[in-house]
């Protein structure tokens, strides 16, 4: 069966789409294509046929208006049995891709209907109207699809109202060494710091973390990733030597920084997750657990349940700088307990929160779709 994943937004090597879903499907013996909206050449990557539109859009509106037509043209040329869509604007091409022997599935990376209500680029007075209109439009599309996938339980339950074939395939990390690797051990004499690797944007509360670290003698905040909108200047401003920005780091370097950190930081603003439940779709919590270090994370319901069940970190109010400081101080002063939390998190990832568990659901989902075609 030929499967074509399509994205107008995500990069061609996106972890969820390319490294997880597409590669897993290649390993299962499917013929897999990935249509992307960029200006890079076509290639075969780890068995995936990556097909580019040859154009990279400048600006959100240009992408929303123009990209769907471009990816549709490429997708129709591939002539797949299953088209797997990854972006909300691609719903407009779903009917043109479907047919008697062609099925369309949608991968809801987030609850777009709810997310619209928080989008600052949409005028405030229009957000509710746009959200409701998108809801009516998308629900009709979902009903006509062969199946739906999402990253977190609450979204899956919502999708099941419109399509019974809705399944949870979340973003747990890929673990390459599943042989019971124990957590990393922090030594008392090491220079103390907390670490973050990922998007350098307001949603990750970097300013609050830096302010919290300011309250603790001998502890630094080291963070790495792509600076979005010159946000780094606001974080390090007037901080002296307590906050260090390292820019983009290779994966091996990220692992090393985690290894020697007091804790990994995963403090996400509540409003970015539409309420207090949070999501399993964001990988930051699991990346820290995988690294074998304790996590200091937002007190979101789904995250708190995991942290408390496995005793692998501390949950805090993302807006409470004193609470963040107290959590950092506690872990820096209780090294043995910190190391134990790190071990607990690593074991939890090895046993439960890893991609191999989600891969099985993905295979079953596609076997079900295959039965609808043949």
């Amino acid at each position: 069966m030929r499967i074509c994943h399509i994205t107008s937004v995500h990069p061609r090597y996106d972890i969820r789409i390319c490294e997880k879903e597409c590669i897993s499907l290649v390993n299962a013996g499917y013929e897999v294509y990935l249509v992307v909206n960029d200006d890079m050449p076509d290639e075969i990557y780890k068995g995936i046929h990556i097909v580019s539109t040859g154009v990279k859009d400048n600006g959100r509106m240009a992408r929303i208006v123009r990209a769907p037509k471009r990816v549709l043209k490429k997708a129709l040329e591939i002539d797949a049995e299953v088209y797997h869509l990854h972006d909300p604007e691609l719903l407009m091409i779903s009917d043109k891709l479907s047919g008697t022997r062609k099925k369309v599935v949608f991968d809801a990376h987030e609850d777009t209907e709810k997310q619209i209500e928080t989008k600052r680029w949409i005028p405030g007075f229009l957000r509710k109207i746009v959200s409701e209109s998108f809801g009516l439009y998308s629900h009709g599309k979902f009903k006509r699809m062969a199946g739906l996938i999402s990253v977190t339980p609450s979204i899956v339950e919502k999708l099941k109202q419109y399509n019974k074939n809705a399944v949870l395939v979340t973003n747990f990390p890929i673990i390459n060494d599943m042989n019971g690797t124990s957590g990393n051990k922090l030594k008392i004499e090491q220079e103390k710091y907390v670490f973050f690797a990922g998007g350098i944007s307001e949603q990750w509360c970097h300013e609050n973390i830096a302010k919290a670290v300011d309250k603790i003698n001998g502890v630094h905040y080291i963070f790495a990733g792509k600076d979005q909108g010159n946000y780094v200047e606001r974080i390090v401003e007037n901080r002296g030597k307590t906050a260090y920005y390292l820019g983009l780091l290779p994966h091996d370097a990220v692992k090393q920084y985690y290894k020697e950190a007091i804790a990994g930081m995963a403090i996400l603003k509540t409003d970015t997750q539409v309420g207090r439940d949070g999501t399993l779709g964001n990988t930051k919590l699991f990346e820290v657990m995988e690294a074998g270090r304790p996590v200091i994370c937002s007190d979101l319901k789904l995250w708190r349940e995991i942290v408390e069940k496995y005793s692998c970190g501390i949950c805090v109010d993302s807006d409470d700088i004193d609470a963040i400081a107290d959590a950092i101080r506690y872990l820096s002063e209780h090294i043995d307990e910190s190391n134990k939390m790190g071990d607990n998190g690593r074991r939890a990832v090895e046993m439960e929160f890893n991609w191999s568990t989600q891969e099985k659901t993905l295979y079953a989902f596609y076997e079900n779709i295959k039965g609808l075609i043949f």
Side-chain angles (χ1 to χ4, degrees), residues 145-353:
M145 290 185 177
L148 305 170
I149 293 174
S150 192
V151 295
T152 206
S154 61
I155 302 178
V156 172
E157 289 306 308
K158 182 176 180 178
L159 294 176
K160 283 182 178 179
Q161 299 175 53
Y162 314 109
N163 192 312
K164 292 182 180 179
N165 189 25
V167 301
L168 177 69
V169 178
T170 197
N171 275 342
F172 297 154
I174 300 169
I175 309 298
N176 295 319
D177 50 338
M178 296 292 289
N179 297 316
T181 304
S182 62
N184 302 296
K185 298 296 185 287
L186 185 71
K187 299 178 181 178
I188 293 175
E189 63 269 20
Q190 284 178 292
E191 183 179 19
K192 294 182 179 181
Y193 64 87
V194 292
F195 182 67
F196 174 93
I200 310 302
S201 60
E202 290 186 27
Q203 71 170 352
W204 287 109
C205 299
H206 296 287
E207 287 180 275
N208 287 355
I209 297 170
K211 290 175 182 177
V213 168
D214 282 346
K215 295 174 176 288
I216 310 169
N217 291 329
V219 175
H220 308 296
Y221 179 39
I222 298 178
F223 58 109
K226 184 178 180 181
D227 184 11
Q228 300 176 17
N230 297 319
Y231 183 50
V232 167
E233 294 180 12
R234 290 164 51 185
I235 303 168
V236 300
E237 186 179 13
N238 300 321
R239 293 262 126 66
K241 294 184 177 180
T242 60
Y244 296 87
Y245 173 58
L246 302 180
L248 290 171
L249 291 178
H251 188 61
D252 288 347
V254 169
K255 281 190 171 183
Q256 187 62 34
Y257 275 101
Y258 269 129
K259 178 179 179 180
E260 298 175 359
I262 296 168
M265 308 303 292
I267 300 180
L268 193 60
K269 282 189 176 181
T270 303
D271 60 5
T272 64
Q273 298 304 303
V274 192
R276 301 296 309 187
D277 279 2
T279 177
L280 296 181
N282 191 292
T283 62
K284 196 59 59 190
L285 173 71
F286 306 108
E287 289 170 6
V288 178
M289 292 168 64
E290 178 194 2
R293 298 308 305 149
V295 62
I296 298 175
C297 67
S298 302
D299 189 15
L300 300 169
K301 180 176 179 290
L302 290 172
W303 287 9
R304 183 176 67 251
E305 290 173 353
I306 293 169
V307 168
E308 290 180 351
K309 179 179 179 179
Y310 293 97
S311 299
C312 59
I314 299 174
C315 297
V316 296
D317 184 330
S318 60
D319 295 319
D320 191 334
I321 295 170
D322 287 334
I324 297 170
D326 288 343
I328 296 171
R329 187 181 294 109
Y330 181 86
L331 292 175
S332 69
E333 294 174 353
H334 298 80
I335 299 300
D336 288 343
E337 187 171 352
S338 173
N339 288 330
K340 185 177 180 180
M341 287 182 180
D343 287 343
N344 292 342
R346 174 68 192 193
R347 281 194 296 270
V349 169
E350 291 174 344
M351 292 185 300
E352 183 176 352
F353 304 110

Side-chain angles (χ1 to χ4, degrees), residues 3-11 14-18 20-22 25 32-36 71 83-91 93 97 104-110 112 145 149-151 169 171 355 362 366:
I3 299 168
C4 179
H5 283 246
I6 308 173
T7 178
S8 55
V9 179
H10 296 83
D14 180 84
I15 299 297
R16 175 176 176 80
I17 300 172
C18 180
K20 292 178 180 175
E21 292 181 335
C22 286
L25 292 169
V32 181
Y33 286 76
L34 172 59
V35 175
V36 295
V71 296
Y83 291 100
H84 189 139
L85 310 180
H86 287 275
D87 309 303
E89 59 260 39
L90 298 183
L91 291 174
I93 67 172
L97 291 169
V104 176
V105 302
F106 183 70
D107 203 322
H109 296 204
E110 60 186 20
T112 305
M145 290 185 177
I149 293 174
S150 192
V151 295
V169 178
N171 275 342
W355 175 246
L362 183 69
Y366 266 97

Side-chain angles (χ1 to χ4, degrees), residues 49 94 163:
H49 301 265
S94 61
N163 192 312

Side-chain angles (χ1 to χ4, degrees), residues 131-142:
S131 173
E132 292 176 353
S133 299
F134 177 82
L136 291 172
Y137 174 76
S138 62
H139 300 163
K141 295 286 189 179
F142 295 158

